[in-house]
């Protein structure tokens, strides 16, 4: 069973076709005809302008300057005469650029696939197919990591991974004769980085997917059962197609969120062990721009790293929209069922 | 009633103003119009502001680890009464109160906070931080040179001369050293005496051998490896250093003859020959099984319990940590008495034969904000904290070393056994350079060390990485030697 609202695909015959819009005679009239749309859009436009476009422009200008704590307050970073592409040249000249990029892609894709999307969808499907109260309880459990303050959460994980005899996991591993009792954050840092972030991230998709699945009219699910579909077939052919919107949203949002997240990595491994083993792009930008052991943080240089991250994020969001045919998802229905 | 009260008040104020305007009044008989109570360690100080006088609030921001380092700001609080007495005696109608902000925030974070507060016009008058931040802060114009004002305060004449180098940038002094310390190498005497080739007599003579340059860092690793081989300590427990980035590593680089700054131009210097020896030392420590890959732990969960718990043969620490260990880690065993009985300490051994023993000192310094409207009062408060009595309170409580020439013979300091026994190390002290690019330099050399410790870089690759990164990020602001 499939549903299409596109007339040219020969879907359900229309019961009433809308009249095409009349073309306004002037710009004023054009704006007037869309004032309701602008009124509805304006809060979102305002927020996006304030919290995305303006910061991105400031970031871009900063990235062209040599602003750092040693000239903060005296250097006029906003003047075009003080702009150059030197920071970007430095980034290209950094031999570890591929490592930071590789770390970032590995971290984002793995965490997304296993937890933020994969586990979220799986748990949403399972908890909506079991007893309602039990489903609610299990979903609540998955929210606990998100509810726990980051520092407490990471301290807990550091103790879990600590070397023997203090580490909780190592106590069991030692009993079982496994491992050398080393700090597990040193021997398998990525495993912990992904689990620690994933357990927090999964709850977001879980809530969205659960509500989307619960919103599917029961008639569709009943109809598929009447048609003899198994549970797996129902999920594949009915549920997943009908929650394509939330899937696009969760994938896009969580990809961007993971791209820019570094808080847990900073607290857990600091980007180590060793030389940048878990240093992702956002953490690199943070280290350069905002973290210093002995002074002189490089705000301009760090901003250049962040600008590249914005470009990667916008590119990723665009690809998702193409793959999921975003235009079709937001297309105005050609028919109105009365 | 209200009207009568207002008339009386107006007359009183008018009369007071008249008295003050005459300018001939004895300061002791000036009418007090305001009394401020300042609390200092449970005590209180009354600040009386004369008619026509001005009550000035000086704000001091101190980086201090409680409870051992609290005197950093508290000594300034004790100076309030003395400064006000001096002002009164001089016929100056200004009076001072002090607001302190003191905690254990990281050095970098405190200085970011200072920069942002400065930009917002709310910088504290005094900031106490590591001297190596002077390069950045002076270059940005956020602190004032005190070169021309130092002579106004006789207390500063008593400063140990060598310490002024730590606060000098481009030929001028930008801060007042508040404390200093040594970074000794410690060892567990009982463990060391059990290592093949060692006995109690050799252990007793080790500090002198190190000072004479006869016992090197390489010899230390020999002993560490022998200790592991003989089962005296577990593998990797022969020699430890701090578990995170910090100035100690620059001390080891100095021990191998490294330089960090060109004295003539003030430009940072990286010596590839010393750098290679530095990384080879850590490479050997890792591969030879004598040294633990110490960048893998943390302070409370790994470093302190192991070094103070009889598990590690040699370890690099700070003189200030002697007090921390006694207070928090060996208290049950007897604290300082236990440490004297079981631990030895000395300078960092020379990197190789023919070199010299040394230590790295990291003085903290009071800096005066360029936004302070009363830098003379800020310095007056600092001067009151720069006395034998005040500084020794801090030195004893935190096992930091003397900064004043008369302090070594000041009875309370001289009778502090540990302080008295390590004060000689000041003669072997090196400092970090004062240069705005030091943060990048230190982070880069540490990143390379992390790579060596993890077995991801060889010593030569680490040096190549440092050179490439410093040249990429600092351009012509770095001199590569070798």
């Amino acid at each position: 069973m499939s549903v299409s609202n596109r007339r040219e695909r020969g879907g359900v015959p229309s019961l009433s076709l809308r009249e095409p819009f009349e073309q306004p005679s002037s710009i004023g009239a054009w704006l007037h005809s869309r004032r309701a749309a602008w009124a509805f859009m304006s809060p979102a436009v305002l927020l996006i302008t304030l919290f995305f476009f303006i910061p991105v422009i400031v970031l871009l200008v900063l990235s062209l300057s040599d602003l750092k704590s040693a000239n903060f307050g005296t250097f006029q970073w906003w003047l075009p005469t003080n702009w150059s592409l030197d920071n970007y040249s430095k980034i290209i000249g950094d031999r570890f650029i591929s490592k930071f990029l590789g770390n970032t892609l590995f971290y984002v894709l793995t965490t997304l696939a296993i937890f933020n999307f994969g586990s979220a969808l799986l748990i949403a499907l399972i908890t909506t197919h079991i007893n309602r109260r039990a489903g609610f309880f299990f979903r609540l459990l998955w929210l606990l990591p998100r509810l726990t303050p980051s520092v407490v959460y990471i301290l807990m994980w550091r103790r879990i991974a600590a070397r023997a005899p203090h580490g909780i996991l190592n106590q069991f591993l030692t009993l079982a004769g496994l491992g050398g009792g080393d700090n597990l954050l040193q021997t398998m840092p990525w495993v912990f980085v992904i689990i620690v972030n994933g357990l927090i991230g999964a709850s977001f998709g879980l809530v969205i997917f659960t509500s989307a699945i619960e919103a599917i009219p029961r008639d569709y699910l009943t109809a598929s059962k009447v048609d003899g579909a198994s549970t797996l077939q129902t999920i594949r052919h009915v549920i997943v197609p009908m929650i394509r919107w939330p899937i696009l949203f969760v994938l896009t949002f969580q990809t961007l969120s993971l791209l820019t997240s570094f808080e847990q990595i900073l607290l857990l491994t600091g980007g180590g062990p060793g030389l940048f083993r878990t240093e992702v792009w956002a953490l690199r930008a943070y280290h350069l721009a905002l973290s210093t052991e002995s002074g002189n943080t490089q705000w301009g240089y760090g901003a250049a790293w962040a600008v590249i991250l914005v470009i990667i994020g916008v590119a990723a969001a665009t690809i998702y929209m193409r793959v999921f045919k975003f235009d079709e998802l937001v297309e105005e229905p050609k028919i109105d069922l009365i | 009633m209200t009207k009568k009260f207002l008339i009386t008040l107006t007359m009183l104020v008018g009369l007071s103003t008249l008295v003050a305007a005459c300018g001939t009044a004895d300061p002791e008989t000036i009418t007090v119009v305001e009394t401020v109570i300042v609390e200092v360690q449970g005590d209180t100080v009354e600040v009386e502001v004369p008619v026509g006088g001005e009550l000035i609030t000086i704000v001091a921001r101190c980086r201090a680890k409680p409870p051992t380092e609290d005197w950093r700001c508290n000594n300034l609080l004790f100076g309030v009464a003395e400064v006000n007495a001096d002002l009164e005696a001089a016929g100056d109608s200004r009076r001072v109160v002090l607001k302190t902000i003191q905690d254990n925030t990281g050095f970098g974070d405190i200085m970011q906070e200072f920069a942002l507060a400065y930009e917002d016009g709310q910088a504290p008058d005094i900031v106490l931080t590591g001297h190596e931040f002077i390069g950045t802060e002076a270059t940005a114009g956020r602190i004032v040179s005190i070169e021309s004002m130092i002579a106004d305060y006789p207390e500063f004449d008593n400063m140990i001369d060598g310490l002024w180098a730590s606060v000098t940038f481009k030929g001028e002094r930008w801060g007042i050293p508040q404390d200093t310390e040594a970074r000794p190498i410690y060892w567990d005497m009982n463990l060391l005496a059990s290592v093949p080739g060692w006995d109690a007599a050799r252990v007793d003579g080790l500090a002198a051998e190190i000072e004479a340059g006869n016992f090197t860092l390489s010899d230390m690793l020999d002993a560490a490896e022998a200790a592991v081989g003989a089962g005296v300590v577990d593998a990797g427990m022969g020699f430890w250093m701090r578990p995170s980035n910090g100035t100690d590593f620059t001390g080891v680089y100095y021990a191998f003859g490294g330089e960090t700054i060109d004295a003539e131009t003030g430009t940072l210097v990286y010596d590839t020959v010393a750098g290679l020896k530095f990384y080879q030392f850590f490479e050997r420590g890792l591969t030879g099984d004598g040294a633990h890959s110490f960048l893998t732990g943390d302070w409370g969960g790994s470093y302190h319990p192991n070094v103070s718990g009889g598990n590690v043969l040699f370890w690099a620490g700070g003189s200030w940590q002697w007090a921390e260990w006694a207070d928090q880690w060996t208290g049950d065993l007897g604290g300082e008495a236990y440490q004297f009985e079981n631990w030895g300490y000395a300078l960092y051994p020379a990197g190789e034969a023919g070199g010299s023993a040394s230590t790295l000192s990291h003085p903290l310094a009071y800096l005066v904000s360029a936004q302070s409207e009363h830098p003379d009062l800020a310095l007056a408060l600092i001067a009151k904290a720069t006395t034998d009595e005040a500084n020794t309170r801090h030195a004893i409580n935190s096992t930091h070393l003397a900064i004043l020439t008369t302090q070594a013979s000041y009875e309370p300091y001289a009778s502090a056994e540990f302080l008295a026994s390590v004060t000689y190390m000041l003669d072997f002290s090196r400092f970090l350079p004062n240069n705005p690019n030091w943060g990048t330099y230190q982070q880069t050399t540490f990143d390379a060390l992390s790579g060596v410790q993890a077995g991801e870089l060889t010593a030569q690759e680490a040096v190549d990485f440092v050179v490439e990164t410093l040249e990429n990020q600092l351009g012509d602001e770095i001199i590569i030697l070798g």
Side-chain angles (χ1 to χ4, degrees), chain A residues 23-34:
Chain A
Q23 290 300 315
S25 56
S26 66
I27 292 177
W30 182 83
L31 285 173
H32 184 76
S33 68
R34 282 162 173 75

Side-chain angles (χ1 to χ4, degrees), chain A residues 55-319:
Chain A
V56 164
I57 290 167
V58 171
L59 193 68
L60 186 63
V61 172
L62 269 178
S63 76
L64 297 172
S65 78
D66 185 32
L67 185 68
K68 50 193 175 189
S69 43
N71 62 20
F72 182 53
T74 56
F75 182 68
Q76 294 175 306
W77 56 273
W78 56 89
L79 294 180
T81 48
N82 289 325
W83 296 352
S84 78
L85 293 173
D86 285 355
N87 288 330
Y88 292 95
S89 299
K90 283 187 195 174
I91 293 175
I92 292 167
D94 190 320
R95 73 153 93 166
F96 286 95
I97 186 172
S98 57
K99 183 159 191 170
F100 300 132
L101 195 59
N103 282 351
T104 307
L105 290 177
F106 176 74
Y107 163 66
V108 171
L109 294 177
T110 312
T111 312
L112 191 67
I114 298 176
F115 286 100
N116 292 26
F117 175 72
S119 296
L121 184 58
L122 186 66
I123 298 161
L125 287 167
I126 291 171
T127 56
T128 50
H129 282 77
I130 60 175
N131 175 281
R132 195 173 173 80
R133 278 193 177 179
F136 177 79
F137 175 74
F138 282 114
R139 285 196 296 276
L140 194 64
L141 284 184
W142 276 85
L143 281 172
L144 287 178
R146 188 174 286 276
L147 297 174
T148 311
S150 296
V151 174
V152 175
Y153 181 62
I154 296 299
L155 273 177
M156 196 179 74
W157 276 102
R158 288 177 74 100
R159 286 295 171 206
I160 288 172
R163 59 186 288 140
H166 312 294
I168 296 169
L169 263 179
N170 264 317
Q171 288 181 3
F172 293 106
L173 292 175
T174 308
L175 278 179
L178 298 171
D182 291 330
N183 186 325
L184 300 173
L185 290 175
Q186 305 296 319
T187 54
M188 47 179 76
W190 275 119
V191 171
F192 282 86
V193 164
I194 288 165
I195 290 175
V196 164
N197 279 279
L199 289 181
I200 297 174
S203 57
F204 178 85
L206 176 61
V207 171
I208 303 281
F209 291 144
T210 302
S211 59
I213 293 168
E214 297 280 9
I216 295 173
R218 293 285 115 185
D219 297 352
Y220 289 98
L221 305 178
T222 308
S224 71
K225 283 181 183 167
V226 170
D227 287 347
S230 66
T231 302
L232 281 179
Q233 285 171 323
T234 303
I235 290 170
R236 185 180 167 194
H237 297 291
V238 179
I239 294 177
V240 170
M242 296 195 78
I243 62 169
R244 210 171 64 164
W245 238 121
I247 288 175
L248 166 67
F249 173 69
V250 169
L251 276 177
T252 309
F253 188 90
Q254 290 290 280
T255 300
L256 300 182
S257 176
L258 285 167
L259 266 177
T260 55
S261 74
F262 63 87
E263 180 187 349
Q264 274 76 29
I265 305 178
L266 173 72
L267 294 170
L268 193 67
T269 67
L275 194 57
F276 311 132
R277 186 98 54 91
T278 58
E279 181 109 340
V280 293
W281 199 282
L283 185 56
R284 181 67 178 156
Y286 167 79
H287 274 145
L288 288 167
L290 294 167
S291 161
T292 175
E293 173 70 24
S294 298
N296 202 14
T297 41
Q298 305 175 73
W299 295 325
Y301 186 40
W305 284 80
V307 164
I308 293 173
L309 199 59
V310 172
I311 294 168
I312 293 172
V314 171
T318 308
I319 290 169

Side-chain angles (χ1 to χ4, degrees), chain B residues 99-298:
Chain B
K99 180 184 174 190
T100 62
I101 309 165
Q102 179 162 247
D103 57 38
N104 194 29
T105 303
F107 286 113
D109 292 334
I110 277 199
M111 296 319 289
Q112 281 221 51
E113 174 193 298
F114 179 68
L116 295 173
Y118 189 92
E119 183 66 6
D120 198 33
Q122 298 187 51
D125 300 85
I126 300 168
V127 61
L128 176 77
T129 188
H131 74 92
E132 73 277 18
F133 289 92
I134 285 174
T136 298
E137 298 307 313
T139 303
R142 286 190 288 268
I143 57 173
V144 292
S145 164
I146 55 172
E147 188 65 49
S148 61
M149 296 185 273
I150 286 178
D152 299 337
Y153 306 90
E155 290 90 344
F156 300 144
D157 295 341
N158 197 17
M159 185 70 63
I160 292 172
D161 260 350
L163 288 175
W164 286 121
S166 69
V167 292
T168 301
F169 177 63
K170 294 187 173 175
E172 293 182 46
R173 286 173 286 185
W174 296 78
I176 303 294
Q178 184 271 330
D179 70 12
T180 189
E181 81 286 301
R183 286 175 162 68
I185 293 286
Y186 296 91
W187 56 86
D188 187 306
M189 292 192 286
N190 298 322
L191 292 177
L192 189 54
S194 307
V195 176
W198 288 79
D199 54 30
R202 191 179 175 195
V203 172
D204 287 344
L206 180 56
E209 286 292 290
I210 288 175
E211 188 177 337
N214 298 329
F215 185 86
T216 66
L217 285 172
S218 176
D219 295 330
M220 188 182 69
L221 280 191
D222 286 343
E225 287 168 7
V228 173
V232 175
V233 292
D234 290 339
M237 308 297 263
F239 170 58
W240 273 30
M241 287 190 77
R242 57 181 293 139
S244 60
N245 193 359
T247 53
D248 303 24
F249 300 110
T250 307
V252 179
Y253 172 70
Y254 284 151
F256 283 106
E259 292 294 335
T260 51
I261 196 160
D262 179 64
E264 278 192 19
T265 61
T267 308
L268 288 178
V269 169
Y270 182 69
D271 182 338
T272 56
V273 176
L276 183 61
K277 290 173 186 170
F278 169 82
Y279 289 119
Q280 282 171 337
F281 170 74
F282 289 102
E283 198 173 36
R284 179 188 161 191
L286 184 68
T287 56
D289 225 15
H292 176 58
S293 178
F294 39 78
L295 294 178
T296 62
D298 55 29

Side-chain angles (χ1 to χ4, degrees), chain B residues 27-90:
Chain B
E28 288 183 8
T29 60
I30 288 176
T31 307
V32 173
V33 296
E34 189 170 5
T35 300
V36 179
I37 307 295
V38 179
E39 286 201 19
V40 185
Q41 296 277 296
D43 204 352
T44 57
V45 178
E46 286 189 2
V47 178
E48 297 175 342
V49 185
V51 172
E54 185 183 4
L55 183 66
I56 294 157
T57 301
I58 298 288
V59 179
R61 175 74 170 105
C62 299
R63 196 270 191 183
K65 189 182 294 182
T68 55
E69 297 174 346
D70 283 345
W71 286 111
R72 283 182 172 152
C73 252
N74 291 352
N75 270 336
L76 295 173
L77 284 166
F78 267 96
V80 168
E82 290 180 72
V83 169
N84 283 326
D86 287 352
L87 289 170
E88 188 175 350

Side-chain angles (χ1 to χ4, degrees), chain B residues 361-479:
Chain B
S361 289
H362 179 238
L364 264 59
Y366 292 114
L367 314 180
V368 177
S369 162
Q371 265 174 2
S372 175
E373 294 176 8
H374 304 280
D376 60 327
L377 296 180
L379 274 173
L381 284 169
I382 295 169
K384 298 304 176 192
T386 312
T387 62
D388 285 341
E389 185 185 359
N391 195 264
T392 299
R393 279 198 291 260
H394 169 69
I396 290 175
N397 219 37
S398 65
T399 48
H400 278 84
L401 302 189
I403 59 166
L404 302 170
T405 55
T406 52
Q407 214 170 338
S409 56
Y410 180 62
E411 201 281 326
Y413 184 94
S415 61
E417 188 179 353
F418 179 73
L419 292 181
S421 69
V422 292
T423 299
Y424 79 98
M425 293 186 182
L426 289 177
D427 296 336
F428 297 82
S429 281
R430 301 280 307 271
F431 302 121
L432 299 177
N434 286 332
N435 182 291
N437 293 314
W438 175 245
T440 302
Y441 186 115
Q442 190 185 30
Q443 186 63 50
T444 302
T445 50
F446 178 76
D447 285 342
L449 178 61
S450 303
V452 171
Q453 283 283 281
E456 295 170 359
L457 294 178
T458 64
Q460 185 58 55
E461 286 170 343
V463 172
D464 294 344
F465 164 78
V466 171
V467 171
E468 187 180 309
T469 306
L470 291 180
E471 285 183 337
N472 183 38
Q473 291 201 27
L474 302 182
D476 56 5
E477 294 181 76
I478 180 77
I479 297 170

Side-chain angles (χ1 to χ4, degrees), chain A residues 163, chain B residues 184 186 239-244 248 292 294 297-309 311-312 314-318 320-321 324-325 329:
Chain A
R163 59 186 288 140
Chain B
Y186 296 91
F239 170 58
W240 273 30
M241 287 190 77
R242 57 181 293 139
S244 60
D248 303 24
H292 176 58
F294 39 78
D298 55 29
W299 288 104
S302 180
Y303 178 83
H304 288 309
N306 278 301
V307 302
S308 64
N311 299 326
V312 180
F314 290 100
W315 66 97
W320 71 94
Q321 286 171 328
E324 283 179 43
W325 289 321
W329 298 96

